[in-house]
Amino acid sequence: MRDEEFAVYVAERRPQLFRAAWLLCGDSHQAEDIVQAALTRLYVAWPRVRRADSIDAYVRRAVVNAHLDEGRRPWRREAAAGEGLPEVAVSASAVEEHDALWRALRALPPGQRRVVVLRHWWGLSVEETAADLDVSTGTVKSQTSAALAALRVALADDLTKETS
Amino acid sequence: MTDLIDTDLAARLYHLSDGAPVPTVATADDVRRGRGRLRRRRLARVGAGGTTLAVATVTGLALGVPGTQQAAPAPTAQQPPAVQAPQQAPRQVPQQAPGEAVAAKVEALARTQGHAVVRLDQLLAMSSVLEDDFGRETTQLAIGASVTWQGAGADECPAGWDCRDADVADASRAKVASDDTTTQVIAEFPQGVVILSFTTADAFPADLAYRDPSPDPAGLRLRD
């Protein structure tokens, strides 16, 4: 029963988890490592999290924790500038916009990036983000503020370069 | 651009992530990795944090051996044989590859017994049902057996217990019963009905949900 239910869940949610991991780490190979680690943890904990009806929350935290673990590894992969940019066919202006946001996101410290992804991509509240990251709500607020300020500057600089 | 950050960051992140190079990975691969990790955890639990299982198994076997009754008094039907927490029996766990070493010890002892009731992998399958609920907190563990499912009280759920069906490999049916301190797993294998009892209390409660009605409740054998 565990295998069947787990397989159904993975088939449905794996792409979303990969996208989240990819935004967090900026590298497709590392993102796949993160997703595999998170799903392995989920499989082991499946009976408990299923009974608690908290599968999404558990796997989201597992992704974040796996990203933290990846960051602690001495041999961790650092994405080169431009690596892993979106591969879908998009218009030139969309590419520039993607590119600017991608660079700005990559330039954020990992902690701020996690807050941005949890709050603005996953749509969590300050309290939920604090619980996922095991930090205070004050820390989430300050990191969100700093991240948005940095994104504003980075994207404004990018816009200036593009128009000059 | 500033306004975009304030108002459209989520939308832009979604748009960006839509372009992520999502790989095609077979779901079966994730299941296989999960199974592997689960198997390693079970072995580690038997060998390290969960030495109680192997120790209890050895104790259960010893209780069934003529001449060892004095060393290990037979328990009552309502109070299955209990063993102490792992830290109180450290010498029974080898330093190297503890899980495999203890399992080998159990198997060697089982061979000297001559006949079999339950296999070690069946016991591990039963314990795995509880691994998310009970881990290192468990202070005592006991193994019991019953000739019939009904005789063990598995068709009932006593007041104060929370009972549910469980999925145990190789068992035709299995259930889990829990109260505030104690959890029991009962499983019906082709060889018979086996009961695993875990508690975080200092002693098992007087009335357990599933009970071993036989006069020799510890008469449990292992086989290859």
Side-chain angles (χ1 to χ4, degrees):
Chain A
M1 181 179 291
R2 181 200 301 236
D3 286 4
E4 289 80 2
E5 292 177 348
F6 177 80
V8 168
Y9 181 85
V10 170
E12 182 183 346
R13 298 299 177 89
R14 203 181 203 288
Q16 185 196 23
L17 296 175
F18 180 87
R19 290 187 180 100
W22 182 72
L23 286 177
L24 285 170
C25 70
D27 176 88
S28 58
H29 301 291
Q30 193 180 349
E32 176 58 21
D33 290 345
I34 288 172
V35 171
Q36 286 185 13
L39 289 176
T40 302
R41 291 179 188 176
L42 176 65
Y43 181 91
V44 172
W46 184 263
R48 175 167 54 85
V49 298
R50 186 176 61 86
R51 278 201 305 279
D53 198 22
S54 59
I55 302 172
D56 288 337
Y58 182 92
V59 77
R60 189 181 64 234
R61 292 180 186 189
V63 165
V64 172
N65 286 332
H67 178 236
L68 282 165
D69 292 343
E70 287 282 323
R72 294 187 184 111
R73 291 182 184 175
W75 48 266
R76 74 182 190 274
R77 192 187 345 250
E78 292 289 357
E83 181 183 346
L85 281 172
E87 294 180 347
V88 294
V90 289
S91 67
S93 61
V95 168
E96 289 170 0
E97 187 178 306
H98 274 155
D99 195 42
L101 180 59
W102 180 256
R103 281 199 302 271
L105 198 60
R106 300 263 47 78
L108 292 177
Q112 291 182 17
R113 207 182 312 145
R114 275 190 283 272
V115 168
V116 166
V117 171
L118 284 173
R119 291 213 59 204
H120 294 275
W121 188 82
W122 243 311
L124 301 188
S125 67
V126 170
E127 290 75 18
E128 289 169 329
T129 304
D132 270 19
L133 296 175
D134 196 21
V135 298
S136 69
T137 54
T139 299
V140 172
K141 289 176 183 174
S142 63
Q143 289 206 324
T144 302
S145 177
L148 294 185
L151 288 177
R152 282 191 194 99
V153 171
L155 293 176
D157 287 348
D158 224 86
L159 185 64
T160 303
K161 289 175 187 172
E162 287 169 13
T163 54
S164 62
Chain B
M1 189 61 68
T2 298
D3 289 339
L4 280 178
I5 285 297
D6 288 334
T7 59
D8 292 341
L9 180 56
R12 295 182 67 184
L13 285 172
Y14 288 136
H15 200 194
L16 180 64
S17 68
D18 282 344
V22 178
T24 302
V25 178
T27 306
D29 291 343
D30 290 312
V31 173
R32 179 179 49 76
R33 280 187 287 268
R35 280 180 180 165
R37 177 160 176 149
L38 192 58
R39 189 165 52 245
R40 289 191 294 275
R41 273 187 45 149
R42 287 173 181 169
L43 277 173
R45 178 150 297 169
V46 171
T51 47
T52 46
L53 174 60
V55 173
T57 305
V58 173
T59 305
L61 285 165
L63 286 170
V65 180
T68 60
Q69 300 286 350
Q70 291 179 347
T76 65
Q78 291 295 317
Q79 186 97 10
V83 293
Q84 296 301 309
Q87 63 269 24
Q88 294 181 355
R91 292 183 181 178
Q92 300 199 39
V93 183
Q95 291 290 321
Q96 297 175 344
E100 295 177 8
V102 173
K105 191 174 179 180
V106 170
E107 289 177 6
L109 186 56
R111 289 192 183 94
T112 66
Q113 302 288 309
H115 56 280
V117 171
V118 64
R119 298 193 311 264
L120 179 59
D121 65 288
Q122 292 171 326
L123 287 173
L124 293 175
M126 291 180 71
S127 70
S128 72
V129 173
L130 302 178
E131 65 183 5
D132 295 320
D133 301 306
F134 277 75
R136 298 169 195 274
E137 302 166 349
T138 304
T139 54
Q140 296 191 75
L141 178 152
I143 302 173
S146 174
V147 175
T148 65
W149 181 262
Q150 292 81 2
D155 282 337
E156 303 161 8
C157 188
W161 289 78
D162 176 29
C163 305
R164 61 181 170 86
D165 291 333
D167 187 17
V168 173
D170 204 31
S172 56
R173 52 182 166 174
K175 293 181 76 173
V176 175
S178 304
D179 72 355
D180 291 341
T181 62
T182 304
T183 295
Q184 292 186 283
V185 186
I186 185 167
E188 185 177 57
F189 294 111
Q191 314 96 302
V193 176
V194 180
I195 305 165
L196 275 186
S197 304
F198 298 75
T199 187
T200 58
D202 293 335
F204 279 102
D207 294 315
L208 292 167
Y210 307 134
R211 53 201 176 274
D212 183 341
S214 69
D216 179 16
L220 190 66
R221 304 290 188 274
L222 292 170
R223 71 178 183 187
D224 293 331

